[in-house]
Amino acid sequence: MKLQGVELRRITMPLVAPFRTSFGTEHERDVLLLRAVTDGAEGWGECVAMAEPLYSSEYADAAADVLRRFLLPALSRHQESARRPGGPGGIAASDVGHALAPIKGHRMSKAALEMAVLDAELRTLGRSFAGELGAVVDRVPSGVSVGIHDTIPALLDAVDGYLSDGYQRIKLKIEPGWDVEPVRAVRERFGDGVLLQVDANTAYTLGDARHLARLDPFDLLLIEQPLEEEDVLGHAELARRIQTPVCLDESIVSAQTAAAAITLGACSIINIKPGRVGGYLEARRIHDLAVAHGVAVWCGGMLETGLGRAANAALAALPGFTLPGDISGSDRFYRTDITEPFVLDDGHIAVPAGPGLGVAPLPDLLDKFTTSTEWVSVG
Ligand SMILES: [Mg+2]
């Protein structure tokens, strides 16, 4: 396959309601999309970096910059060498990670580029993301991430609405001052049968271990990323001091860090986000590694549009994804998605079966949300 160039497209989508986590409040989602143009089909990639570097060091403007200045030129050079006499003649999605490896970090940008090339490749071949990744089901249970609310009654109203919608699992965002009481209130109101977990997004320290142990009686599925991203040993120690299973999100940036965290006892569950780990192919490697170690995985979310949501649903259909993920209906975050909306059906999201992502942006809606476009040629 010959990659001719990539369009970098920025869109801004308003959220149905502000989404508050321990690192900030989002009112709209500023997304960088990639459209890969090849001599076969076109492919779409979605960069999950947010507008500001609060979830991780990556942010959307930097993602566009590193793609333009370093990643696309690196892919261009790789493609040139592949087209020399005796070379493979073009570029394959499985080459992208290797071609971009000399550039350090920037995993969300690399993931978006690999996703776009993979989508183009699979559309050209008439194969789906789900089939390519190894999906074993055609629908996945849908969980929902519930932001920090101003009051407990407001939180209970929100959870009530999501349970009525059919969501299979509730995740509460927590931070110091908003942890034990909201969990207790949700348990008291909705009972022990609700699958419930919490996500701290790095808001605590190991010194909070005794306080976090107060969550033990509530039979949570897991506590996600209580400590700083780099504090893997702290998580291992915390896991010994609390009964709630520790799940890592921000700390797991590759299969290598996943292997280290598992070996150190820092987590018994992993939230896999393809953007955070450099792409869907690395995400699959982490899945395989976790399965080999008996560690459960689930697919997190980064307020994706229908494009990223489609790819996440395909990934979550792999056999090791034994816990419900954060793959919610499009209307959880957006009144209008840029693709046909994902709709909850009996608490599940259908895994797209068509070629590539199986969904594509609807041109009018895409244009409506677009704030800028830029064409970068790949020689
Ligand atoms: Mg998280």
Side-chain angles (χ1 to χ4, degrees):
M1 189 172 75
K2 164 95 166 64
L3 178 64
Q4 292 158 346
V6 172
E7 180 188 69
L8 306 179
R9 181 182 283 253
R10 290 290 280 275
I11 63 172
T12 299
M13 297 171 67
L15 299 181
V16 291
F19 185 54
R20 182 175 157 201
T21 68
S22 63
F23 58 75
T25 304
E26 292 169 271
H27 298 269
E28 58 187 20
R29 186 71 167 106
D30 178 2
V31 188
L32 171 65
L33 297 179
L34 280 64
R35 180 171 62 93
V37 177
T38 75
D39 57 354
E42 290 186 0
W44 288 93
E46 176 169 345
C47 182
V48 300
M50 302 190 322
E52 298 174 76
L54 300 176
Y55 166 83
S56 76
S57 63
E58 294 181 67
Y59 61 101
D61 282 342
D65 187 68
V66 77
L67 278 157
R68 178 191 304 126
R69 295 174 63 193
F70 300 105
L71 299 181
L72 286 165
L75 207 54
S76 184
R77 286 193 297 276
H78 180 85
Q79 180 163 263
E80 251 170 59
S81 64
R83 290 171 69 81
R84 284 194 199 115
I91 192 153
S94 56
D95 298 336
V96 174
H98 176 68
L100 304 182
I103 293 132
K104 306 296 186 199
H106 298 283
R107 290 182 171 89
M108 292 176 180
S109 309
K110 292 175 178 177
L113 183 50
E114 183 191 77
M115 176 182 169
V117 173
L118 181 58
D119 186 35
E121 181 176 293
L122 294 175
R123 286 184 201 264
T124 303
L125 298 171
R127 296 192 343 230
S128 70
F129 251 70
E132 177 69 14
L133 293 174
V136 292
V137 293
D138 60 9
R139 63 178 204 157
V140 294
S142 185
V144 65
S145 178
V146 186
I148 294 166
H149 281 64
D150 290 337
T151 64
I152 298 277
L155 172 73
L156 294 177
D157 279 352
V159 171
D160 192 28
Y162 292 131
L163 290 173
S164 302
D165 289 343
Y167 281 104
Q168 303 282 297
R169 180 274 276 151
I170 299 292
K171 168 168 124 178
L172 303 183
K173 292 288 190 179
I174 60 169
E175 65 181 6
W178 181 266
D179 42 36
V180 177
E181 291 318 313
V183 167
R184 184 198 312 281
V186 169
R187 272 285 181 246
E188 283 178 357
R189 169 81 175 269
F190 302 105
D192 294 338
V194 172
L195 297 181
L196 185 63
Q197 64 193 53
V198 293
D199 183 4
N201 289 108
T202 75
Y204 296 87
T205 69
L206 190 54
D208 296 313
R210 190 173 292 180
H211 177 72
L212 292 173
R214 293 179 57 207
L215 293 169
D216 287 347
F218 299 107
D219 195 27
L220 299 177
L221 286 171
L222 57 92
I223 179 170
E224 183 179 345
Q225 197 72 40
L227 313 181
E228 277 183 15
E229 177 179 330
E230 295 183 10
D231 195 5
V232 175
L233 288 178
H235 282 101
E237 178 59 30
L238 182 68
R240 287 189 279 273
R241 296 199 205 169
I242 65 175
Q243 288 168 16
T244 306
V246 173
C247 170
L248 290 178
D249 172 355
E250 284 90 336
S251 295
I252 305 298
V253 296
S254 62
Q256 196 171 39
T257 54
I262 291 169
T263 303
L264 290 167
C267 62
S268 51
I269 300 169
I270 293 175
N271 167 351
I272 300 184
K273 289 178 179 167
R276 196 193 62 225
V277 305
Y280 285 86
L281 302 181
E282 184 75 356
R284 182 173 59 185
R285 285 189 276 274
I286 295 174
H287 161 271
D288 295 348
L289 174 88
V291 168
H293 285 83
V295 166
V297 301
W298 55 281
C299 185
M302 293 289 287
L303 283 66
E304 285 89 347
T305 73
L307 296 172
R309 201 166 296 273
N312 286 351
L315 179 70
L318 269 62
F321 284 77
T322 52
L323 292 168
D326 282 342
I327 304 164
S328 45
S330 293
D331 65 358
R332 159 67 186 92
F333 292 110
Y334 305 113
R335 206 170 306 285
T336 310
D337 207 336
I338 54 168
T339 63
E340 289 293 334
F342 281 81
V343 178
L344 222 55
D345 178 14
D346 186 29
H348 289 70
I349 293 287
V351 178
L357 294 170
V359 300
L362 302 168
D364 289 354
L365 292 174
L366 184 62
D367 287 345
K368 180 179 151 192
F369 294 120
T370 295
T371 55
S372 69
T373 61
E374 174 185 353
W375 174 255
V376 184
S377 284
V378 173

